[in-house]
């Protein structure tokens, strides 16, 4: 079974940090560009960040620039993409999803050919 698995979410206070992980089951991530998206209640899904397959192209949305970073470890035993989220705000509260694509572009974001999503991981920022 081919699947993306997001993890690392939780409940934190404003100003705190979380690191999300995106891993795969059944295939390797290292040939894909990977994007992080989020969806808050009552809102449309929005793209937060993406990274190219090699890691040399990175896109960050204006809403998270300066606070979030994206990285990837393509080593065989890791094969994971991370989203480091610092200085979290209540408006960052959402379910976060990762997705595969064939390219990460700036400023366009992730270019996708498949509309497949994992289960996501919940991030709640509240005092």
């Amino acid at each position: 079974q081919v699947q993306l698995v997001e993890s690392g979410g939780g409940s934190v206070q404003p100003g705190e940090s979380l690191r999300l992980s995106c891993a795969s089951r059944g295939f390797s991530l290292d040939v894909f560009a990977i994007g992080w998206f989020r969806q808050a209640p009552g809102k449309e899904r929005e793209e937060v960040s993406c990274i190219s397959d090699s890691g040399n192209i990175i896109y960050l949305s204006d809403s998270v620039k300066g606070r979030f970073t994206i990285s990837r470890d393509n080593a065989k035993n890791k094969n994971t993409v991370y989203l480091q989220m610092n200085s979290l705000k209540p408006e960052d509260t959402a379910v976060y999803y990762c997705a595969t694509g064939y390219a990460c572009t700036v400023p366009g974001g992730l270019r996708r050919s498949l509309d497949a999503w994992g289960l996501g991981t919940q991030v709640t920022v509240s005092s």
Side-chain angles (χ1 to χ4, degrees):
Q1 184 179 3
V2 176
Q3 190 178 9
L4 284 172
V5 181
E6 303 93 342
S7 62
S11 294
V12 297
Q13 295 188 342
E16 294 186 338
S17 299
L18 283 172
R19 188 176 79 159
L20 305 184
S21 297
C22 173
S24 61
R25 291 178 183 161
F27 69 103
S28 179
L29 286 180
D30 60 357
V31 297
F32 293 98
I34 301 294
W36 281 99
F37 296 74
R38 66 186 181 187
Q39 188 165 21
K43 295 188 176 181
E44 291 190 357
R45 192 170 295 178
E46 65 168 329
E47 183 170 359
V48 172
S49 181
C50 69
I51 186 168
S52 62
D53 56 353
S54 63
N56 63 343
I57 298 174
I58 287 175
Y59 163 78
L60 290 164
S61 69
D62 288 343
S63 61
V64 305
K65 202 171 291 183
R67 300 188 297 122
F68 291 12
T69 58
I70 188 171
S71 62
R72 66 188 305 157
D73 188 339
N74 287 342
K76 190 174 182 180
N77 62 337
K78 292 288 181 67
N79 195 30
T80 304
V81 174
Y82 303 99
L83 185 69
Q84 178 68 43
M85 307 188 297
N86 298 328
S87 302
L88 282 162
K89 303 176 180 180
E91 51 263 44
D92 295 317
T93 296
V95 179
Y96 284 70
Y97 303 86
C98 61
T100 59
Y102 57 85
C104 174
T105 65
V106 180
L110 191 69
R111 294 292 179 254
R112 307 188 66 203
S113 58
L114 293 175
D115 188 27
W117 300 95
L119 296 178
T121 185
Q122 175 70 49
V123 172
T124 302
V125 185
S126 173
S127 56

